[in-house]
């Protein structure tokens, strides 16, 4: 194995870069954090502190860092969704390999163009599909590979976004207005779409989809609810989505969006909420992201599957149905059976209960930690296409996501090969 330290730099110093820097800094034998760019001085300062590198270089923005000669092996692209394509293309042209935050881009034409550019330049792009690196999905994959389930015939999966998270990110937050960000099925669930073809070992051929905003609209506003929680709402203190919770039990969510969350007084935070998108009543926002969506999929091997994303559940659930047995896994299994996976053998009727060795580092069930641990090895593979979450593999799940949005909006079944061709490939 190549043990030369991998030099990391980043464009965009938000929550994602901070997680990656913190995890990389704990593995100095593998990584050296050398530079970062962000408009906000406080964020650059935090990146510098996390780097633990006295020679760390900071820059105002993407242009400034890319105007320098190449500073690192890998550029982390972790600006907001709408900027990924421009920043990723420029960094590829400068000679960087990339750790690219999902989504690859907010539209399919750019996703395919980036794939083409990386291929032409011979660069490696690892997309942050962190679920592939979680101990949970690695265990599910190992059960499938062991053959105990026989041939997988169908599956059901659910991603519960959780009501507060939906309100924070997809009603008030960065991904609420699809036209400015990405369809919710990609913004939240490209991870899940990515996992399905990986688990069943076959590409998706066609899909259909339904979904809408059922709850987060004016029709569900409590009587007398003003535009902002801070404007004297009659349900203050009782509403699940009361923005005052950012001062108490939801403080960790405030830390993601407000740089002074840890030091500001309550009065200062309330003042901030009076102006910020996160102080708005969730029933009086400009959100266009759905709060529930279901996708039905047909895979090349004949496997069929359904996936439901809903605001009104929490965590992921998965059921795989094979010719020899079935696997039930995820949140509901954890709550009812006290383990992560249950494997049932149809012939013997035996149940095997599996508990996964979860990691506590970072969010996403250890996926962030797994991704950073694997980044060095992934970037050292002689064949870039073999990277677990290579750009080529990730393009497939983005194709599924954009196709699911078209299927939802048009009420049609979308054949992925046709869809790809229509978008210029
Ligand atoms: N992989 C995952 O599981 C996962 C989870 C959450 C978010 N994301 C994705 O990660 C990305 C980043 O999310 P975040 O929450 O860290 O965002 P964020 O908004 O907290 O951070 C983005 C940063 O980019 C900076 N920025 C904007 N324009 C810039 C420029 N031209 N040059 C340099 N910096 C610039 C902003 O100042 C900001 O600090 C998003 O695209 C999001 O969808 C991925």
């Amino acid at each position: 194995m190549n043990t030369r330290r991998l030099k990391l730099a980043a464009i965009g110093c938000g929550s994602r870069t901070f997680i990656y820097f913190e995890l990389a800094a704990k593995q100095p034998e593998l990584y050296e954090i050398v530079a970062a760019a962000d408009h906000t001085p406080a964020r650059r300062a935090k990146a510098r502190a996390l780097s633990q590198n006295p020679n760390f270089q900071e820059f105002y923005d993407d242009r400034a860092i890319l105007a320098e000669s190449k500073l690192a092996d890998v550029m982390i692209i972790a600006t907001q969704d709408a900027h990924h394509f421009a920043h990723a293309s420029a960094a590829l042209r400068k000679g960087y390999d990339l750790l690219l935050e999902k989504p690859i881009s907010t539209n399919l034409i750019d996703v395919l163009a980036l794939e083409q550019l990386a291929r032409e330049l011979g660069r490696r792009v690892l997309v942050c599909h962190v679920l592939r690196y979680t101990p949970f999905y690695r265990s599910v994959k190992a059960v499938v590979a062991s053959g105990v389930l026989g041939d997988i015939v169908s599956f059901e999966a659910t991603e519960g976004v959780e009501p507060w998270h939906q309100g924070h990110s997809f009603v008030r937050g960065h991904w609420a207005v699809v036209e400015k960000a990405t369809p919710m099925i990609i913004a939240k669930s490209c991870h899940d779409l990515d996992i399905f073809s990986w688990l069943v070992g076959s590409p998706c051929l066609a899909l259909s989809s339904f979904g809408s905003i059922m709850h987060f609209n004016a029709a569900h506003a409590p009587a007398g609810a003003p535009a902002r929680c801070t404007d004297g709402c009659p349900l203050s203190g009782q509403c699940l989505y009361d923005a005052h919770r950012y001062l108490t039990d939801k403080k960790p969510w405030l830390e993601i969006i407000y740089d002074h969350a840890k030091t500001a007084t309550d009065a200062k935070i309330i003042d901030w909420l009076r102006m910020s998108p996160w102080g708005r009543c969730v029933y009086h926002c400009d959100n266009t992201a759905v709060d529930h969506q279901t996708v039905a999929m047909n895979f090349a091997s004949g496997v069929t599957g359904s996936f439901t994303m809903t605001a009104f559940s929490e965590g992921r659930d998965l059921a795989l149905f094979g010719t020899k047995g079935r696997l039930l896994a995820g949140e509901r299994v954890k709550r009812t059976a006290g383990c992560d996976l249950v494997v049932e053998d149809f012939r013997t009727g035996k149940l095997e209960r599996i508990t996964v060795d979860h990691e506590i580092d970072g969010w996403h069930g250890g996926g962030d930690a797994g991704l950073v641990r694997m980044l060095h090895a992934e970037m050292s593979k002689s064949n870039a296409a073999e990277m677990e979450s290579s750009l080529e593999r990730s393009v497939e799940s983005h194709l599924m996501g954009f196709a699911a949005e078209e299927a939802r909006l048009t009420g049609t079944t979308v054949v992925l090969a046709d869809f790809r061709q229509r978008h210029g490939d």
Side-chain angles (χ1 to χ4, degrees), residues 11-16 37-40 43 61-62 78-81 84 87 101-102 128 130 174-175 191 364:
I11 297 177
C13 298
S15 59
R16 300 305 301 164
D38 199 292
H39 295 145
T40 314
R43 294 191 164 206
D61 65 1
D62 57 301
T79 42
Q80 274 301 332
D81 303 7
H84 288 181
H87 294 163
E101 258 311 346
K102 55 94 218 161
C128 298
V130 296
H174 295 311
W175 300 278
H191 290 298
H364 297 120

PDB file of all heavy atoms in Angstrom, residues 11-16 37-40 43 61-62 78-81 84 87 101-102 128 130 174-175 191 364, ligand 1:
ATOM      1  N   ILE A  11     -12.483  23.538  -0.688  1.00  0.00           N
ATOM      2  CA  ILE A  11     -13.207  24.750  -1.101  1.00  0.00           C
ATOM      3  C   ILE A  11     -14.561  24.689  -0.410  1.00  0.00           C
ATOM      4  O   ILE A  11     -15.335  23.761  -0.630  1.00  0.00           O
ATOM      5  CB  ILE A  11     -13.385  24.811  -2.631  1.00  0.00           C
ATOM      6  CG1 ILE A  11     -12.015  24.902  -3.313  1.00  0.00           C
ATOM      7  CG2 ILE A  11     -14.266  25.996  -3.019  1.00  0.00           C
ATOM      8  CD1 ILE A  11     -12.058  24.891  -4.834  1.00  0.00           C
ATOM      9  N   GLY A  12     -14.830  25.642   0.473  1.00  0.00           N
ATOM     10  CA  GLY A  12     -16.068  25.651   1.262  1.00  0.00           C
ATOM     11  C   GLY A  12     -15.821  25.054   2.633  1.00  0.00           C
ATOM     12  O   GLY A  12     -15.558  23.860   2.751  1.00  0.00           O
ATOM     13  N   CYS A  13     -15.849  25.906   3.661  1.00  0.00           N
ATOM     14  CA  CYS A  13     -15.599  25.415   5.028  1.00  0.00           C
ATOM     15  C   CYS A  13     -16.881  25.479   5.849  1.00  0.00           C
ATOM     16  O   CYS A  13     -17.052  26.356   6.701  1.00  0.00           O
ATOM     17  CB  CYS A  13     -14.522  26.245   5.711  1.00  0.00           C
ATOM     18  SG  CYS A  13     -12.958  26.155   4.860  1.00  0.00           S
ATOM     19  N   GLY A  14     -17.784  24.557   5.567  1.00  0.00           N
ATOM     20  CA  GLY A  14     -18.998  24.430   6.362  1.00  0.00           C
ATOM     21  C   GLY A  14     -18.926  23.152   7.181  1.00  0.00           C
ATOM     22  O   GLY A  14     -17.840  22.593   7.400  1.00  0.00           O
ATOM     23  N   SER A  15     -20.097  22.677   7.588  1.00  0.00           N
ATOM     24  CA  SER A  15     -20.138  21.526   8.494  1.00  0.00           C
ATOM     25  C   SER A  15     -19.448  20.291   7.907  1.00  0.00           C
ATOM     26  O   SER A  15     -18.799  19.535   8.614  1.00  0.00           O
ATOM     27  CB  SER A  15     -21.586  21.203   8.863  1.00  0.00           C
ATOM     28  OG  SER A  15     -22.310  20.914   7.688  1.00  0.00           O
ATOM     29  N   ARG A  16     -19.555  20.132   6.589  1.00  0.00           N
ATOM     30  CA  ARG A  16     -18.987  18.905   6.001  1.00  0.00           C
ATOM     31  C   ARG A  16     -17.451  18.936   6.029  1.00  0.00           C
ATOM     32  O   ARG A  16     -16.811  17.960   6.435  1.00  0.00           O
ATOM     33  CB  ARG A  16     -19.466  18.708   4.552  1.00  0.00           C
ATOM     34  CG  ARG A  16     -20.948  18.586   4.400  1.00  0.00           C
ATOM     35  CD  ARG A  16     -21.540  17.483   5.248  1.00  0.00           C
ATOM     36  NE  ARG A  16     -20.980  16.184   4.936  1.00  0.00           N
ATOM     37  CZ  ARG A  16     -21.092  15.102   5.715  1.00  0.00           C
ATOM     38  NH1 ARG A  16     -21.728  15.173   6.862  1.00  0.00           N
ATOM     39  NH2 ARG A  16     -20.552  13.965   5.362  1.00  0.00           N
ATOM     40  N   ALA A  37     -10.429  27.269   1.477  1.00  0.00           N
ATOM     41  CA  ALA A  37     -10.971  28.561   1.048  1.00  0.00           C
ATOM     42  C   ALA A  37     -12.392  28.706   1.542  1.00  0.00           C
ATOM     43  O   ALA A  37     -13.178  27.753   1.485  1.00  0.00           O
ATOM     44  CB  ALA A  37     -10.948  28.638  -0.480  1.00  0.00           C
ATOM     45  N   ASP A  38     -12.714  29.879   2.040  1.00  0.00           N
ATOM     46  CA  ASP A  38     -14.104  30.217   2.403  1.00  0.00           C
ATOM     47  C   ASP A  38     -14.190  31.731   2.522  1.00  0.00           C
ATOM     48  O   ASP A  38     -13.231  32.387   2.935  1.00  0.00           O
ATOM     49  CB  ASP A  38     -14.503  29.571   3.731  1.00  0.00           C
ATOM     50  CG  ASP A  38     -16.025  29.513   3.890  1.00  0.00           C
ATOM     51  OD1 ASP A  38     -16.660  30.579   4.026  1.00  0.00           O
ATOM     52  OD2 ASP A  38     -16.582  28.388   3.857  1.00  0.00           O
ATOM     53  N   HIS A  39     -15.371  32.263   2.214  1.00  0.00           N
ATOM     54  CA  HIS A  39     -15.566  33.721   2.329  1.00  0.00           C
ATOM     55  C   HIS A  39     -15.513  34.181   3.785  1.00  0.00           C
ATOM     56  O   HIS A  39     -15.159  35.317   4.056  1.00  0.00           O
ATOM     57  CB  HIS A  39     -16.949  34.111   1.787  1.00  0.00           C
ATOM     58  CG  HIS A  39     -17.100  33.855   0.319  1.00  0.00           C
ATOM     59  ND1 HIS A  39     -18.285  33.444  -0.254  1.00  0.00           N
ATOM     60  CD2 HIS A  39     -16.203  33.935  -0.683  1.00  0.00           C
ATOM     61  CE1 HIS A  39     -18.122  33.307  -1.550  1.00  0.00           C
ATOM     62  NE2 HIS A  39     -16.875  33.587  -1.840  1.00  0.00           N
ATOM     63  N   THR A  40     -15.900  33.309   4.707  1.00  0.00           N
ATOM     64  CA  THR A  40     -16.098  33.735   6.092  1.00  0.00           C
ATOM     65  C   THR A  40     -14.841  33.532   6.927  1.00  0.00           C
ATOM     66  O   THR A  40     -14.373  32.394   7.086  1.00  0.00           O
ATOM     67  CB  THR A  40     -17.259  32.921   6.716  1.00  0.00           C
ATOM     68  OG1 THR A  40     -18.331  32.905   5.793  1.00  0.00           O
ATOM     69  CG2 THR A  40     -17.706  33.501   8.043  1.00  0.00           C
ATOM     70  N   ARG A  43     -14.906  30.851   9.654  1.00  0.00           N
ATOM     71  CA  ARG A  43     -14.885  29.473   9.146  1.00  0.00           C
ATOM     72  C   ARG A  43     -13.466  29.072   8.710  1.00  0.00           C
ATOM     73  O   ARG A  43     -13.035  27.945   8.922  1.00  0.00           O
ATOM     74  CB  ARG A  43     -15.885  29.322   8.008  1.00  0.00           C
ATOM     75  CG  ARG A  43     -17.297  29.509   8.520  1.00  0.00           C
ATOM     76  CD  ARG A  43     -18.361  29.124   7.541  1.00  0.00           C
ATOM     77  NE  ARG A  43     -19.611  28.987   8.289  1.00  0.00           N
ATOM     78  CZ  ARG A  43     -20.633  28.220   7.925  1.00  0.00           C
ATOM     79  NH1 ARG A  43     -20.586  27.532   6.817  1.00  0.00           N
ATOM     80  NH2 ARG A  43     -21.703  28.138   8.677  1.00  0.00           N
ATOM     81  N   ASP A  61     -11.633  32.493  -1.513  1.00  0.00           N
ATOM     82  CA  ASP A  61     -12.648  31.738  -2.258  1.00  0.00           C
ATOM     83  C   ASP A  61     -12.002  30.749  -3.223  1.00  0.00           C
ATOM     84  O   ASP A  61     -10.771  30.578  -3.223  1.00  0.00           O
ATOM     85  CB  ASP A  61     -13.620  32.678  -2.985  1.00  0.00           C
ATOM     86  CG  ASP A  61     -12.937  33.493  -4.084  1.00  0.00           C
ATOM     87  OD1 ASP A  61     -11.715  33.307  -4.286  1.00  0.00           O
ATOM     88  OD2 ASP A  61     -13.611  34.308  -4.719  1.00  0.00           O
ATOM     89  N   ASP A  62     -12.849  30.111  -4.028  1.00  0.00           N
ATOM     90  CA  ASP A  62     -12.378  29.103  -4.986  1.00  0.00           C
ATOM     91  C   ASP A  62     -11.357  29.692  -5.957  1.00  0.00           C
ATOM     92  O   ASP A  62     -10.348  29.059  -6.269  1.00  0.00           O
ATOM     93  CB  ASP A  62     -13.568  28.520  -5.758  1.00  0.00           C
ATOM     94  CG  ASP A  62     -14.366  29.602  -6.480  1.00  0.00           C
ATOM     95  OD1 ASP A  62     -14.860  30.519  -5.801  1.00  0.00           O
ATOM     96  OD2 ASP A  62     -14.470  29.541  -7.723  1.00  0.00           O
ATOM     97  N   ALA A  78     -16.899  21.230  -0.985  1.00  0.00           N
ATOM     98  CA  ALA A  78     -17.994  21.181  -0.004  1.00  0.00           C
ATOM     99  C   ALA A  78     -18.672  22.538   0.114  1.00  0.00           C
ATOM    100  O   ALA A  78     -19.014  22.988   1.201  1.00  0.00           O
ATOM    101  CB  ALA A  78     -17.484  20.711   1.347  1.00  0.00           C
ATOM    102  N   THR A  79     -18.857  23.185  -1.031  1.00  0.00           N
ATOM    103  CA  THR A  79     -19.705  24.377  -1.062  1.00  0.00           C
ATOM    104  C   THR A  79     -21.147  23.875  -1.212  1.00  0.00           C
ATOM    105  O   THR A  79     -21.400  22.665  -1.218  1.00  0.00           O
ATOM    106  CB  THR A  79     -19.313  25.275  -2.254  1.00  0.00           C
ATOM    107  OG1 THR A  79     -19.067  24.439  -3.394  1.00  0.00           O
ATOM    108  CG2 THR A  79     -18.064  26.061  -1.936  1.00  0.00           C
ATOM    109  N   GLN A  80     -22.091  24.815  -1.342  1.00  0.00           N
ATOM    110  CA  GLN A  80     -23.476  24.369  -1.482  1.00  0.00           C
ATOM    111  C   GLN A  80     -23.723  23.763  -2.875  1.00  0.00           C
ATOM    112  O   GLN A  80     -22.984  24.034  -3.824  1.00  0.00           O
ATOM    113  CB  GLN A  80     -24.439  25.529  -1.208  1.00  0.00           C
ATOM    114  CG  GLN A  80     -24.765  25.682   0.283  1.00  0.00           C
ATOM    115  CD  GLN A  80     -25.397  24.433   0.893  1.00  0.00           C
ATOM    116  OE1 GLN A  80     -26.055  23.667   0.192  1.00  0.00           O
ATOM    117  NE2 GLN A  80     -25.170  24.217   2.173  1.00  0.00           N
ATOM    118  N   ASP A  81     -24.786  22.969  -2.955  1.00  0.00           N
ATOM    119  CA  ASP A  81     -25.097  22.154  -4.134  1.00  0.00           C
ATOM    120  C   ASP A  81     -24.914  22.892  -5.474  1.00  0.00           C
ATOM    121  O   ASP A  81     -24.302  22.355  -6.400  1.00  0.00           O
ATOM    122  CB  ASP A  81     -26.563  21.676  -4.093  1.00  0.00           C
ATOM    123  CG  ASP A  81     -26.904  20.890  -2.830  1.00  0.00           C
ATOM    124  OD1 ASP A  81     -26.054  20.823  -1.920  1.00  0.00           O
ATOM    125  OD2 ASP A  81     -28.011  20.350  -2.756  1.00  0.00           O
ATOM    126  N   HIS A  84     -21.306  23.094  -6.881  1.00  0.00           N
ATOM    127  CA  HIS A  84     -20.424  21.928  -7.004  1.00  0.00           C
ATOM    128  C   HIS A  84     -19.813  21.798  -8.395  1.00  0.00           C
ATOM    129  O   HIS A  84     -18.617  21.559  -8.536  1.00  0.00           O
ATOM    130  CB  HIS A  84     -21.186  20.636  -6.664  1.00  0.00           C
ATOM    131  CG  HIS A  84     -21.490  20.506  -5.195  1.00  0.00           C
ATOM    132  ND1 HIS A  84     -22.138  19.417  -4.661  1.00  0.00           N
ATOM    133  CD2 HIS A  84     -21.235  21.325  -4.151  1.00  0.00           C
ATOM    134  CE1 HIS A  84     -22.268  19.580  -3.354  1.00  0.00           C
ATOM    135  NE2 HIS A  84     -21.734  20.728  -3.026  1.00  0.00           N
ATOM    136  N   HIS A  87     -17.087  24.537  -9.170  1.00  0.00           N
ATOM    137  CA  HIS A  87     -15.877  24.384  -8.346  1.00  0.00           C
ATOM    138  C   HIS A  87     -15.161  23.067  -8.652  1.00  0.00           C
ATOM    139  O   HIS A  87     -13.927  23.017  -8.698  1.00  0.00           O
ATOM    140  CB  HIS A  87     -16.248  24.489  -6.861  1.00  0.00           C
ATOM    141  CG  HIS A  87     -16.748  25.854  -6.483  1.00  0.00           C
ATOM    142  ND1 HIS A  87     -17.447  26.109  -5.331  1.00  0.00           N
ATOM    143  CD2 HIS A  87     -16.651  27.052  -7.133  1.00  0.00           C
ATOM    144  CE1 HIS A  87     -17.752  27.404  -5.276  1.00  0.00           C
ATOM    145  NE2 HIS A  87     -17.282  27.983  -6.355  1.00  0.00           N
ATOM    146  N   GLU A 101     -18.577  16.540  -2.506  1.00  0.00           N
ATOM    147  CA  GLU A 101     -19.818  16.368  -1.769  1.00  0.00           C
ATOM    148  C   GLU A 101     -20.947  16.079  -2.741  1.00  0.00           C
ATOM    149  O   GLU A 101     -20.951  16.552  -3.874  1.00  0.00           O
ATOM    150  CB  GLU A 101     -20.133  17.625  -0.932  1.00  0.00           C
ATOM    151  CG  GLU A 101     -19.820  17.485   0.538  1.00  0.00           C
ATOM    152  CD  GLU A 101     -20.376  16.219   1.210  1.00  0.00           C
ATOM    153  OE1 GLU A 101     -21.244  15.532   0.624  1.00  0.00           O
ATOM    154  OE2 GLU A 101     -19.919  15.896   2.308  1.00  0.00           O
ATOM    155  N   LYS A 102     -21.883  15.295  -2.276  1.00  0.00           N
ATOM    156  CA  LYS A 102     -23.073  15.072  -3.079  1.00  0.00           C
ATOM    157  C   LYS A 102     -24.017  16.256  -2.874  1.00  0.00           C
ATOM    158  O   LYS A 102     -23.935  16.905  -1.829  1.00  0.00           O
ATOM    159  CB  LYS A 102     -23.712  13.721  -2.748  1.00  0.00           C
ATOM    160  CG  LYS A 102     -24.050  13.527  -1.244  1.00  0.00           C
ATOM    161  CD  LYS A 102     -25.398  13.895  -0.904  1.00  0.00           C
ATOM    162  CE  LYS A 102     -25.931  14.507   0.168  1.00  0.00           C
ATOM    163  NZ  LYS A 102     -26.979  15.152   0.587  1.00  0.00           N
ATOM    164  N   CYS A 128     -19.110  11.734  -2.003  1.00  0.00           N
ATOM    165  CA  CYS A 128     -19.313  11.458  -0.567  1.00  0.00           C
ATOM    166  C   CYS A 128     -20.603  10.691  -0.288  1.00  0.00           C
ATOM    167  O   CYS A 128     -21.494  11.162   0.440  1.00  0.00           O
ATOM    168  CB  CYS A 128     -19.294  12.756   0.227  1.00  0.00           C
ATOM    169  SG  CYS A 128     -17.718  13.604   0.108  1.00  0.00           S
ATOM    170  N   VAL A 130     -21.607   8.483   1.790  1.00  0.00           N
ATOM    171  CA  VAL A 130     -21.014   7.937   3.020  1.00  0.00           C
ATOM    172  C   VAL A 130     -21.647   6.629   3.474  1.00  0.00           C
ATOM    173  O   VAL A 130     -21.029   5.868   4.216  1.00  0.00           O
ATOM    174  CB  VAL A 130     -21.040   8.969   4.171  1.00  0.00           C
ATOM    175  CG1 VAL A 130     -20.179  10.174   3.847  1.00  0.00           C
ATOM    176  CG2 VAL A 130     -22.461   9.429   4.477  1.00  0.00           C
ATOM    177  N   HIS A 174     -31.447  25.121   3.652  1.00  0.00           N
ATOM    178  CA  HIS A 174     -30.747  25.190   2.363  1.00  0.00           C
ATOM    179  C   HIS A 174     -31.443  24.457   1.211  1.00  0.00           C
ATOM    180  O   HIS A 174     -31.257  24.805   0.059  1.00  0.00           O
ATOM    181  CB  HIS A 174     -29.355  24.569   2.494  1.00  0.00           C
ATOM    182  CG  HIS A 174     -28.436  25.320   3.411  1.00  0.00           C
ATOM    183  ND1 HIS A 174     -28.252  26.666   3.329  1.00  0.00           N
ATOM    184  CD2 HIS A 174     -27.640  24.897   4.428  1.00  0.00           C
ATOM    185  CE1 HIS A 174     -27.379  27.057   4.255  1.00  0.00           C
ATOM    186  NE2 HIS A 174     -27.004  25.992   4.928  1.00  0.00           N
ATOM    187  N   TRP A 175     -32.188  23.377   1.546  1.00  0.00           N
ATOM    188  CA  TRP A 175     -32.716  22.529   0.483  1.00  0.00           C
ATOM    189  C   TRP A 175     -34.234  22.645   0.354  1.00  0.00           C
ATOM    190  O   TRP A 175     -34.875  21.778  -0.230  1.00  0.00           O
ATOM    191  CB  TRP A 175     -32.285  21.068   0.718  1.00  0.00           C
ATOM    192  CG  TRP A 175     -30.793  20.967   0.714  1.00  0.00           C
ATOM    193  CD1 TRP A 175     -29.992  20.891  -0.392  1.00  0.00           C
ATOM    194  CD2 TRP A 175     -29.916  21.017   1.854  1.00  0.00           C
ATOM    195  NE1 TRP A 175     -28.671  20.883  -0.009  1.00  0.00           N
ATOM    196  CE2 TRP A 175     -28.593  20.955   1.354  1.00  0.00           C
ATOM    197  CE3 TRP A 175     -30.110  21.099   3.221  1.00  0.00           C
ATOM    198  CZ2 TRP A 175     -27.469  20.972   2.201  1.00  0.00           C
ATOM    199  CZ3 TRP A 175     -29.007  21.122   4.062  1.00  0.00           C
ATOM    200  CH2 TRP A 175     -27.713  21.059   3.550  1.00  0.00           C
ATOM    201  N   HIS A 191     -28.044   8.970  -1.371  1.00  0.00           N
ATOM    202  CA  HIS A 191     -27.335   7.910  -0.645  1.00  0.00           C
ATOM    203  C   HIS A 191     -28.084   6.583  -0.769  1.00  0.00           C
ATOM    204  O   HIS A 191     -27.484   5.540  -0.978  1.00  0.00           O
ATOM    205  CB  HIS A 191     -27.298   8.220   0.847  1.00  0.00           C
ATOM    206  CG  HIS A 191     -26.432   9.365   1.207  1.00  0.00           C
ATOM    207  ND1 HIS A 191     -25.093   9.384   0.978  1.00  0.00           N
ATOM    208  CD2 HIS A 191     -26.708  10.534   1.828  1.00  0.00           C
ATOM    209  CE1 HIS A 191     -24.592  10.516   1.434  1.00  0.00           C
ATOM    210  NE2 HIS A 191     -25.541  11.231   1.947  1.00  0.00           N
ATOM    211  N   HIS A 364     -23.973  10.195  10.528  1.00  0.00           N
ATOM    212  CA  HIS A 364     -24.182   9.206   9.467  1.00  0.00           C
ATOM    213  C   HIS A 364     -23.723   7.809   9.850  1.00  0.00           C
ATOM    214  O   HIS A 364     -23.106   7.117   9.038  1.00  0.00           O
ATOM    215  CB  HIS A 364     -23.491   9.632   8.165  1.00  0.00           C
ATOM    216  CG  HIS A 364     -24.043  10.889   7.601  1.00  0.00           C
ATOM    217  ND1 HIS A 364     -23.283  12.014   7.401  1.00  0.00           N
ATOM    218  CD2 HIS A 364     -25.300  11.228   7.228  1.00  0.00           C
ATOM    219  CE1 HIS A 364     -24.041  12.980   6.913  1.00  0.00           C
ATOM    220  NE2 HIS A 364     -25.260  12.529   6.813  1.00  0.00           N
TER     221      HIS A 364
HETATM  222  N1  LIG B   1     -22.412  13.523   2.292  1.00  0.00           N
HETATM  223  C1  LIG B   1     -23.401  13.837   3.094  1.00  0.00           C
HETATM  224  O1  LIG B   1     -23.938  12.992   3.763  1.00  0.00           O
HETATM  225  C2  LIG B   1     -23.852  15.267   3.220  1.00  0.00           C
HETATM  226  C3  LIG B   1     -24.549  15.692   4.343  1.00  0.00           C
HETATM  227  C4  LIG B   1     -24.928  17.037   4.440  1.00  0.00           C
HETATM  228  C5  LIG B   1     -24.621  17.907   3.401  1.00  0.00           C
HETATM  229  N2  LIG B   1     -23.960  17.455   2.303  1.00  0.00           N
HETATM  230  C6  LIG B   1     -23.599  18.364   1.195  1.00  0.00           C
HETATM  231  O2  LIG B   1     -22.377  18.989   1.523  1.00  0.00           O
HETATM  232  C7  LIG B   1     -22.323  20.305   0.959  1.00  0.00           C
HETATM  233  C8  LIG B   1     -21.868  21.288   2.003  1.00  0.00           C
HETATM  234  O3  LIG B   1     -22.786  21.275   3.078  1.00  0.00           O
HETATM  235  P1  LIG B   1     -22.502  22.142   4.409  1.00  0.00           P
HETATM  236  O4  LIG B   1     -23.630  21.852   5.307  1.00  0.00           O
HETATM  237  O5  LIG B   1     -21.097  21.922   4.830  1.00  0.00           O
HETATM  238  O6  LIG B   1     -22.681  23.611   3.774  1.00  0.00           O
HETATM  239  P2  LIG B   1     -22.400  25.036   4.418  1.00  0.00           P
HETATM  240  O7  LIG B   1     -23.353  25.969   3.771  1.00  0.00           O
HETATM  241  O8  LIG B   1     -22.336  24.942   5.903  1.00  0.00           O
HETATM  242  O9  LIG B   1     -20.910  25.351   3.905  1.00  0.00           O
HETATM  243  C9  LIG B   1     -20.611  25.766   2.617  1.00  0.00           C
HETATM  244  C10 LIG B   1     -19.487  26.791   2.723  1.00  0.00           C
HETATM  245  O10 LIG B   1     -19.069  27.163   1.408  1.00  0.00           O
HETATM  246  C11 LIG B   1     -18.618  28.528   1.481  1.00  0.00           C
HETATM  247  N3  LIG B   1     -18.538  29.081   0.134  1.00  0.00           N
HETATM  248  C12 LIG B   1     -19.535  29.532  -0.661  1.00  0.00           C
HETATM  249  N4  LIG B   1     -19.035  29.950  -1.839  1.00  0.00           N
HETATM  250  C13 LIG B   1     -17.695  29.766  -1.791  1.00  0.00           C
HETATM  251  C14 LIG B   1     -16.625  30.007  -2.700  1.00  0.00           C
HETATM  252  N5  LIG B   1     -16.868  30.531  -3.931  1.00  0.00           N
HETATM  253  N6  LIG B   1     -15.370  29.689  -2.333  1.00  0.00           N
HETATM  254  C15 LIG B   1     -15.125  29.141  -1.111  1.00  0.00           C
HETATM  255  N7  LIG B   1     -16.094  28.906  -0.200  1.00  0.00           N
HETATM  256  C16 LIG B   1     -17.367  29.221  -0.541  1.00  0.00           C
HETATM  257  C17 LIG B   1     -19.648  29.200   2.374  1.00  0.00           C
HETATM  258  O11 LIG B   1     -19.154  30.403   2.934  1.00  0.00           O
HETATM  259  C18 LIG B   1     -19.880  28.111   3.430  1.00  0.00           C
HETATM  260  O12 LIG B   1     -19.080  28.312   4.566  1.00  0.00           O
HETATM  261  C19 LIG B   1     -23.716  20.587   0.388  1.00  0.00           C
HETATM  262  O13 LIG B   1     -23.683  20.454  -0.990  1.00  0.00           O
HETATM  263  C20 LIG B   1     -24.576  19.502   0.993  1.00  0.00           C
HETATM  264  O14 LIG B   1     -25.642  19.092   0.140  1.00  0.00           O
HETATM  265  C21 LIG B   1     -23.569  16.166   2.216  1.00  0.00           C
END
